[in-house]
Amino acid sequence: MDKKEKPYYTGTEIVISIFQILVQFTLYHSAACLIAGIGIEESGWMYLRMGILFLPLLIYLFTRMYIRNLSIFVLIHIGCAAGLLFFFPRTVGEAAAICICLLIMLVNSVRFRIIESYYDRECPSLFLLSFLFVVYVFAAYIEKPILMKQCFYELMVFLLCYMISKNLENTENFISLNRETANFPIRQIKGVNRVLLSFFAVVMLGGMLLIPQLHLERAVEQMGEWGLIFLRWLFSLIRTKEVSPEPWEWNNNSNSGSYELPITEEMPSRLAMFLQYLMEIGTIIFLIVVVLFGIGFGLYQIYKRFYAVPLKGEERKRETDVITITESVPIFRKKKEPEEEIGGYSKKIRRQYKKSVKRRKGKTQILPSSLTPTEIENVLEYPFTDIQEKERVIVLYEKARYGKEECTKEEFEEIRKMV
């Protein structure tokens, strides 16, 4: 049955959709908190109240999934928005923020319903993660530290929910593409995937909760100071003036009875102060970029390594005898392809026959992939002249392609001489 006609959704599909609207919620919530907090004193309670925006997202989701009548669909959307605007806002800022967010939710939901794209996944693009950085910058500009801290946590929730939804979605697609394969380990794949997903979620949540307590800015500041000390030492090796040959003049400290070198302090020039200030800023920016790039690259490689995505387009048509071809990127280096084992004469026979067909067909001749070996031999421009030889080649190829037993070396030598 086509997915567009079934009224039932599996538990995994519902869980995927909930994680996807959680990703959407982080964007709506951060924007609503920023709009509602402009011009008033910052309040964590108000930011918490903006969490009510998750309710219309959840209602609109299940309305798109289960309500087929367009009139009821529109009525539920308008009723939910009107009820939220009537009972919830306490200030003008809250009313404006909720009104703007609900308007965008309504437009998107109705658009999905009209074009019937709500059957597809609605996970926002990873590029929208930059929206949280924009909100963070505006919050810093208007001096809202609580909102800045909240944007950090929402950024982590965005990444966590995005990775989980994509993982579950790709795993379901992979299983559905290979469900008909004999002895396909569906239960084992789901079990291993859930273990890896749980480990990933625990690590992400642990990092999200522990990183603010570690005060990494102190470590970055210390690293910057070490870098500046090293650069100053490096530049001190470049002497622009010769050392004065005059001997040092010692100061006699009558109180302590010791001799000290004369110390003369000179005010650095404005250019030197500017270059030092610029160097400090550049060092801090460089260290932050390196750390963020390392974290992002590591997360991206882990995601691509463990959560392979089925190939699209023409590449999806090339399927093996066991499972569908998937694309996967190794974490550190590309693994070498394993050498072909001794034997495997069935593969060699199939490869030899395909090369023969390619040589014997016409330059403009197109062979549909649905043709059997017998049909291929009947439509080739340059078929076998010997009927017995043609029948023998067909038998050997069908044995290599569909047979359960492995072909022998003698059979491979036989078909290689004929083709």
Side-chain angles (χ1 to χ4, degrees), residues 51-62:
I52 195 67
L53 290 173
F54 182 74
L55 181 61
L57 281 173
L58 192 64
I59 294 175
Y60 293 166
L61 169 68
F62 285 99

Side-chain angles (χ1 to χ4, degrees), residues 284-394:
I284 294 174
I285 293 176
F286 175 76
L287 292 174
I288 292 175
V289 169
V290 169
V291 172
L292 292 179
F293 176 79
I295 295 174
F297 183 77
L299 291 175
Y300 175 76
Q301 292 294 344
I302 291 174
Y303 170 73
K304 294 291 289 184
R305 176 63 180 87
F306 290 106
Y307 309 137
V309 182
L311 297 177
K312 298 180 180 179
E314 296 295 331
E315 297 179 351
R316 179 178 289 182
K317 297 180 181 179
R318 300 180 302 168
E319 297 182 354
T320 62
D321 296 336
V322 182
I323 58 175
T324 304
I325 299 175
T326 56
E327 179 185 11
S328 179
V329 179
I331 298 178
F332 298 108
R333 59 186 178 87
K334 187 176 181 181
K335 295 183 179 179
K336 296 182 178 179
E337 295 291 337
E339 298 181 358
E340 189 175 4
E341 298 179 357
I342 299 176
Y345 293 107
S346 295
K347 281 186 177 180
K348 295 181 180 179
I349 290 174
R350 291 165 56 186
R351 191 181 301 114
Q352 198 74 23
Y353 179 73
K354 289 179 181 179
K355 292 180 180 178
S356 172
V357 171
K358 189 176 181 179
R359 290 194 304 267
R360 292 185 290 118
K361 73 174 185 177
K363 294 183 179 180
T364 60
Q365 189 175 11
I366 299 176
L367 300 177
S369 59
S370 59
L371 295 181
T372 62
T374 305
E375 293 173 342
I376 291 175
E377 293 295 333
N378 292 333
V379 298
L380 283 176
E381 188 172 342
Y382 304 101
F384 289 105
T385 55
D386 190 349
I387 298 178
Q388 294 182 353
E389 185 176 341
K390 181 179 73 172
E391 292 178 352
R392 180 59 180 167
V393 169
I394 293 174

Side-chain angles (χ1 to χ4, degrees), residues 156-393:
M156 302 300 295
V157 172
F158 183 102
L159 285 174
L160 180 63
C161 295
Y162 181 87
M163 295 298 183
I164 292 177
S165 64
K166 284 297 181 183
N167 167 262
L168 294 175
E169 185 178 353
N170 293 333
T171 303
E172 286 297 309
N173 292 337
F174 180 78
I175 292 175
S176 63
L177 288 172
N178 300 279
R179 192 177 295 275
E180 302 300 329
T181 305
N183 300 323
F184 187 69
I186 297 178
R187 182 177 299 177
Q188 289 81 356
I189 289 176
K190 288 185 175 181
V192 172
N193 179 70
R194 289 171 182 173
V195 171
L196 291 174
L197 197 59
S198 301
F199 176 76
F200 172 76
V202 169
V203 171
M204 286 286 290
L205 287 174
M208 181 175 64
L209 297 176
L210 291 178
I211 285 179
Q213 309 299 328
L214 297 178
H215 301 289
L216 295 179
E217 66 277 2
R218 298 177 182 174
V220 174
E221 183 179 356
Q222 187 67 30
M223 292 173 63
E225 292 178 357
W226 291 344
L228 289 174
I229 293 173
F230 173 76
L231 290 175
R232 288 169 182 167
W233 172 80
L234 188 64
F235 284 119
S236 67
L237 299 178
I238 305 174
R239 299 183 181 274
T240 58
K241 295 183 179 179
E242 296 183 357
V243 180
S244 176
E246 297 179 0
W248 294 101
E249 296 180 0
W250 298 89
N251 292 335
N252 184 8
N253 191 344
S254 58
N255 296 328
S256 60
S258 60
Y259 294 90
E260 297 178 355
L261 286 171
I263 299 175
T264 57
E265 296 184 359
E266 295 183 359
M267 188 67 180
S269 63
R270 293 184 179 180
L271 179 60
M273 294 177 63
F274 174 75
L275 291 177
Q276 181 179 356
Y277 182 68
L278 191 63
M279 187 183 300
E280 293 177 357
I281 294 177
T283 304
I284 294 174
I285 293 176
F286 175 76
L287 292 174
I288 292 175
V289 169
V290 169
V291 172
L292 292 179
F293 176 79
I295 295 174
F297 183 77
L299 291 175
Y300 175 76
Q301 292 294 344
I302 291 174
Y303 170 73
K304 294 291 289 184
R305 176 63 180 87
F306 290 106
Y307 309 137
V309 182
L311 297 177
K312 298 180 180 179
E314 296 295 331
E315 297 179 351
R316 179 178 289 182
K317 297 180 181 179
R318 300 180 302 168
E319 297 182 354
T320 62
D321 296 336
V322 182
I323 58 175
T324 304
I325 299 175
T326 56
E327 179 185 11
S328 179
V329 179
I331 298 178
F332 298 108
R333 59 186 178 87
K334 187 176 181 181
K335 295 183 179 179
K336 296 182 178 179
E337 295 291 337
E339 298 181 358
E340 189 175 4
E341 298 179 357
I342 299 176
Y345 293 107
S346 295
K347 281 186 177 180
K348 295 181 180 179
I349 290 174
R350 291 165 56 186
R351 191 181 301 114
Q352 198 74 23
Y353 179 73
K354 289 179 181 179
K355 292 180 180 178
S356 172
V357 171
K358 189 176 181 179
R359 290 194 304 267
R360 292 185 290 118
K361 73 174 185 177
K363 294 183 179 180
T364 60
Q365 189 175 11
I366 299 176
L367 300 177
S369 59
S370 59
L371 295 181
T372 62
T374 305
E375 293 173 342
I376 291 175
E377 293 295 333
N378 292 333
V379 298
L380 283 176
E381 188 172 342
Y382 304 101
F384 289 105
T385 55
D386 190 349
I387 298 178
Q388 294 182 353
E389 185 176 341
K390 181 179 73 172
E391 292 178 352
R392 180 59 180 167
V393 169

Side-chain angles (χ1 to χ4, degrees), residues 33 39 50 85 110 116 129 149 231 364 395:
C33 292
M50 290 292 105
L85 286 173
V110 173
E116 296 185 349
L129 190 67
K149 185 177 180 180
L231 290 175
T364 60
V395 169

